[in-house]
Amino acid sequence: MTWLPTDLTPLLARLSGPDRRTREAAAEHLADLLRSGALHQDQAEHVISRLAEVAVAEHPGADASAARYAIGEATACYRPPLELVRRLTALPTDEPAILEDVLDILACTYDPAAEDIIRTHRADPRAEVRAAAEQALTELPGRVPGPTPQRYVTWAYADQWVRDLSAVLATFTTTFEQDRGYPCGEHTLGAAAGQAELVAMTAGELHDVMPSDLLTWCRRVREVSLPDVGAGYFLHPPDLIVAHALVEGVQWIIDGDGSRERVVVFGSDGGGTLYALNPTGTAVHRLPPGEMHDGVYRTDDPRAGVVAPHLVGFLDLLRAAVHEHVRTGAAPEL
């Protein structure tokens, strides 16, 4: 498990220490913290800003490489503001690998203002740099293709999602018993997950499995419980996500060609259907009750399949289903 310091100041100070190994170790520790999503947004931005300073202005060579790597790791859970990473464009351009890293980081800002910076490298004489620039331009609007305009979970999206559902559920729960004749269950739109929970979501083998969007979501919304919307819909808390991903639940599904695909279950409904993301966050699978053996899920149920191209697409469907249920009483099916 990643050690989370209560005060980042000493760790950041070690980035400028006299010993090279100490500086590199500090950058590696910060990379671990950023990769796991354990820091609050303001903390992460402060760390990214300092790492960018180190990468450009201090201790060239291995130290700059370690700092640049740490910033790249941050993009798994954070969208670095362009103004914090723009200075990386001052790095030497004679090494294609450096430019490729910088272009990828610029793409992860999702800031339209980064487009002009990236475009200047489309005419680079080196093929690998031109390819990196084209890839960055493709990724700049958002890495996952799909119909929803907000393709990646952001804090702003999560906060607006909670506000939307809080407003519609306020009326729904107030009149529920009068309308239905029995008490309303407890509906929960949970607050942010704790730092220890977030670190556990990327510990050990989960480091390369946990979708970054799911981490971003849990950093704002720990869990969602909607027991009276249709058969009930639930977005799981981190401890249940981790338990499913490691020992207790579905970890693999069988594709149409018979191959296994790794998934992370993050939600369910009251009828036993599970919802799972693949590690890249590019498909949300609906998994009706089926056979499971050694973490491998199999079913012939025709309802099984991809229901959304990404987590935002699924969250949009769930939000729309809640609104429709409250408006008409119809039982939604996702």
Side-chain angles (χ1 to χ4, degrees), residues 84-267:
L84 298 186
V85 297
R86 188 193 297 267
R87 71 183 68 195
L88 294 177
T89 59
L91 286 168
T93 60
D94 53 337
E95 294 185 37
I98 293 178
L99 267 179
E100 290 170 28
D101 287 349
V102 172
L103 289 168
D104 184 65
I105 291 168
L106 290 173
C108 289
T109 66
Y110 302 146
D111 189 327
E115 182 174 353
D116 288 341
I117 303 173
I118 296 170
R119 283 188 180 278
T120 62
H121 297 283
R122 296 177 73 187
D124 193 283
R126 294 161 294 186
E128 60 267 47
V129 175
R130 295 196 301 273
E134 293 294 344
Q135 182 65 25
L137 288 171
T138 300
E139 295 179 353
L140 186 61
R143 294 190 175 192
V144 182
T148 54
Q150 183 69 41
R151 295 169 182 165
Y152 260 80
V153 173
T154 65
W155 283 20
Y157 175 88
D159 291 347
Q160 185 61 53
W161 194 94
V162 169
R163 284 195 294 269
D164 289 348
L165 259 67
S166 295
V168 71
L169 289 174
T171 302
F172 177 65
T173 56
T174 299
T175 62
F176 184 90
E177 187 168 2
Q178 178 182 341
D179 295 339
R180 308 288 179 93
Y182 56 91
C184 183
E186 183 177 354
H187 293 75
T188 302
L189 300 174
Q195 291 181 338
E197 292 178 308
L198 294 168
V199 170
M201 289 178 70
T202 57
E205 66 183 82
L206 295 182
H207 174 264
D208 296 322
V209 172
M210 194 62 60
S212 60
D213 259 5
L214 197 53
L215 283 167
T216 304
W217 173 257
C218 288
R219 293 182 74 236
R220 299 303 280 178
V221 186
R222 183 178 181 273
E223 67 176 311
V224 173
S225 177
L226 306 170
D228 295 306
V229 175
Y233 288 96
F234 309 92
L235 302 183
H236 299 168
D239 58 339
L240 187 54
I241 292 172
V242 170
H244 268 288
L246 290 178
V247 290
E248 296 179 5
V250 174
Q251 293 139 38
W252 301 88
I253 61 174
I254 303 299
D255 287 337
D257 61 1
S259 62
R260 299 201 310 177
E261 180 181 6
R262 188 68 159 97
V263 294
V264 175
V265 172
F266 68 91

